[in-house]
Structure formats: C-alpha cells, structure tokens
C-alpha cells in the first residue's frame, strides 16, 4: 500500500528556533498533501493544504508566516515552524491522498522548551 | 458548532462486550464518511469507510443515516487490542480535505 514517510518523529528545540518537518510519499506521487496538528486529548485539526508547485492554502486562524509550507516536488512537502514557542508544542501529522484514500505519516512530536 | 461531533468518552468496557459509538456531522454536503482508529501517540489509520447501505467488516459494523446526518460504529465481541481512540471523519464532494471528530476513547478491560 501507499506509504508516507515523515521525519523527524520527535524533536525538542529551544524557544525562538525554527524546526523543519519533512513528509515524503514513497511509492506514489502526491500533488496535494495535508498538514494537521493535534494537541493532547484533541482531534486532528487541519492547518493547511499543500499543493505541488503552488502556494499552500491555510485554514482560518493559522499563521502562514509562522508555518511555512513548501511542496516543491510531487513526493515531498515540508512544514517549517518558525520562531517556535512553547505553545507550538504539539503532534504534527502529514497526509497525502493516493488512489485508495488518505495515507498518514507517522507524525512528529514537537516540544519547544 | 463543530462540523463533526462525537462523544469523547472515555468508554471502559469488559472484554467481549459490544460497544457502539455515535457521530453527527453538520455539513449536509458531506459525501464520504470514515472511521479511523488512532493509538496513543500514533497516526490515525483507516478502520473502515461508511456506506449508505451500512457495511460490516468482521466484528465492526458501520451505519450511515444521511437524513439525520448521523454515523455509527458497532464493535462486537471486543478485544483488548480494540483499545484506542476512534475518530469519525467526513469530507465533502469535491473537497479533498478530511474533517475529524474529536474522537471517542475506548478501553477494553480484561
């Protein structure tokens, strides 16, 4: 089946630094990828839709200058959390649509200290 | 009002019991419906799609009532390994994005 590889799986960073998360579709081409955030005991909230070769579409309330998304190829989308703060600590998950449905990456647990 | 609403639980039931989850959605344009399972600190994984006629996969039965905008999941003969959070998910025709409910946490006790 389709596989989406996401890394790093866990990252701890200092407040004010930037963190890049990568999401790769390994055996299919993904023109669209989705980035979600999940806080403890809450559901996944869509942050943005990443489109290959064009600008991402952000959901209401998500700061596009803080969460930079790049989707430069059909197999790679990246999310950069810029100037991270403790309130950005969360579980970030990417997803891509393949021929059968939606496949999720394994998630990145970000802790900002 | 949230677009997809679920009872967050937690549900604690003994092994072998039957348990049912409910979900309601507010967008009448919703076309596709799913139940996902998420284990602690893991990504969600598709449990089953939900079809208008209702569908069954082993011990799992899903039902959809479009008139009431209501979706259900029934788990029979529950196993310890069924312990997880169950997410009700919908998307609208033409929309690629999925909308997740907050999830219902289930614990099966030995």
């Amino acid at each position: 089946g389709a596989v989406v590889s996401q890394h790093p799986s866990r990252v701890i960073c200092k407040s004010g630094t930037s963190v890049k998360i990568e999401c790769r579709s390994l055996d299919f081409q993904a023109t669209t990828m989705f980035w979600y955030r999940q806080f403890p005991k809450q559901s996944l909230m869509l942050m943005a839709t990443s489109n290959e070769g064009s600008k991402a579409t952000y959901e209401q309330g998500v700061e596009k200058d803080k969460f930079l998304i790049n989707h430069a190829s059909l197999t790679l989308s990246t999310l950069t959390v810029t100037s991270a703060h403790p309130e950005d600590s969360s579980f970030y998950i990417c997803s891509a649509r393949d021929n059968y449905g939606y496949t999720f990456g394994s998630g990145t647990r970000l802790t900002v200290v | 009002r949230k677009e997809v609403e679920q009872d967050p639980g937690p549900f604690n039931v003994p092994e072998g019991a039957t348990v049912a989850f409910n979900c309601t959605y507010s967008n009448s344009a919703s076309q596709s419906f799913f139940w996902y399972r998420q284990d602690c600190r893991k990504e969600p994984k598709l449990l089953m799609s939900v079809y208008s006629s209702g569908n069954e996969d082993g011990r799992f039965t899903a039902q959809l009532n479009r008139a009431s905008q209501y979706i259900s999941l029934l788990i029979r003969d529950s196993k310890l390994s069924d312990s997880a959070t169950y997410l009700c998910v919908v998307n609208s025709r033409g929309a690629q994005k999925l909308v997740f409910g907050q999830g219902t946490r289930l614990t099966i006790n030995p």
Side-chain angles (χ1 to χ4, degrees):
Chain A
V3 177
V4 172
S5 174
Q6 181 175 348
H7 71 91
S9 58
R10 179 185 291 265
V11 59
I12 300 173
C13 72
K14 289 186 178 180
S15 187
T17 61
S18 295
V19 174
K20 180 186 281 189
I21 303 170
E22 291 190 351
C23 183
R24 294 180 185 272
S25 56
L26 296 187
D27 48 3
F28 67 102
Q29 294 183 332
T31 55
T32 303
M33 288 189 178
F34 306 90
W35 287 97
Y36 295 86
R37 179 168 54 183
Q38 186 176 33
F39 291 107
K41 298 188 178 182
Q42 295 186 27
S43 191
L44 280 75
M45 295 300 295
L46 181 66
M47 299 175 66
T49 301
S50 164
N51 302 295
E52 187 268 335
S54 65
K55 291 182 179 180
T57 303
Y58 289 81
E59 295 298 301
Q60 192 171 17
V62 178
E63 299 175 60
K64 62 180 181 180
D65 295 330
K66 180 169 181 65
F67 299 99
L68 301 180
I69 290 174
N70 184 283
H71 194 156
S73 79
L74 287 170
T75 59
L76 174 64
S77 176
T78 62
L79 168 68
T80 301
V81 183
T82 61
S83 186
H85 291 285
E87 58 266 29
D88 298 322
S89 298
S90 187
F91 190 49
Y92 293 85
I93 309 176
C94 66
S95 173
R97 188 166 187 177
D98 55 49
N99 291 333
Y100 305 101
Y102 297 82
T103 300
F104 288 82
S106 56
T108 297
R109 190 160 301 280
L110 170 64
T111 302
V112 184
V113 298
Chain B
R1 182 186 173 189
K2 293 179 182 176
E3 193 167 342
V4 179
E5 295 209 59
Q6 292 180 250
D7 180 346
F11 283 54
N12 290 281
V13 301
E15 192 175 7
T18 295
V19 60
F21 303 137
N22 303 319
C23 169
T24 57
Y25 60 95
S26 61
N27 186 350
S28 58
S30 298
Q31 288 288 321
S32 301
F33 309 90
F34 312 91
W35 282 102
Y36 276 75
R37 169 196 169 124
Q38 185 176 26
D39 293 291
C40 189
R41 295 174 177 265
K42 300 284 189 181
E43 76 275 20
K45 294 188 177 178
L46 180 65
L47 179 65
M48 58 196 303
S49 300
V50 186
Y51 303 115
S52 296
S53 55
N55 48 300
E56 188 174 304
D57 183 1
R59 298 181 293 109
F60 299 86
T61 301
Q63 298 274 352
L64 168 64
N65 184 321
R66 287 187 182 271
S68 302
Q69 295 182 195
Y70 169 93
I71 306 162
S72 66
L73 175 68
L74 184 77
I75 305 175
R76 291 182 301 277
D77 188 25
S78 54
K79 312 291 184 189
L80 295 177
S81 57
D82 294 333
S83 297
T85 296
Y86 290 82
L87 301 166
C88 177
V89 185
V90 308
N91 80 336
S92 303
R93 179 163 58 185
Q96 295 194 66
K97 67 180 185 180
L98 299 177
V99 180
F100 287 79
Q102 69 178 105
T104 299
R105 189 171 175 184
L106 172 67
T107 301
I108 306 299
N109 302 308

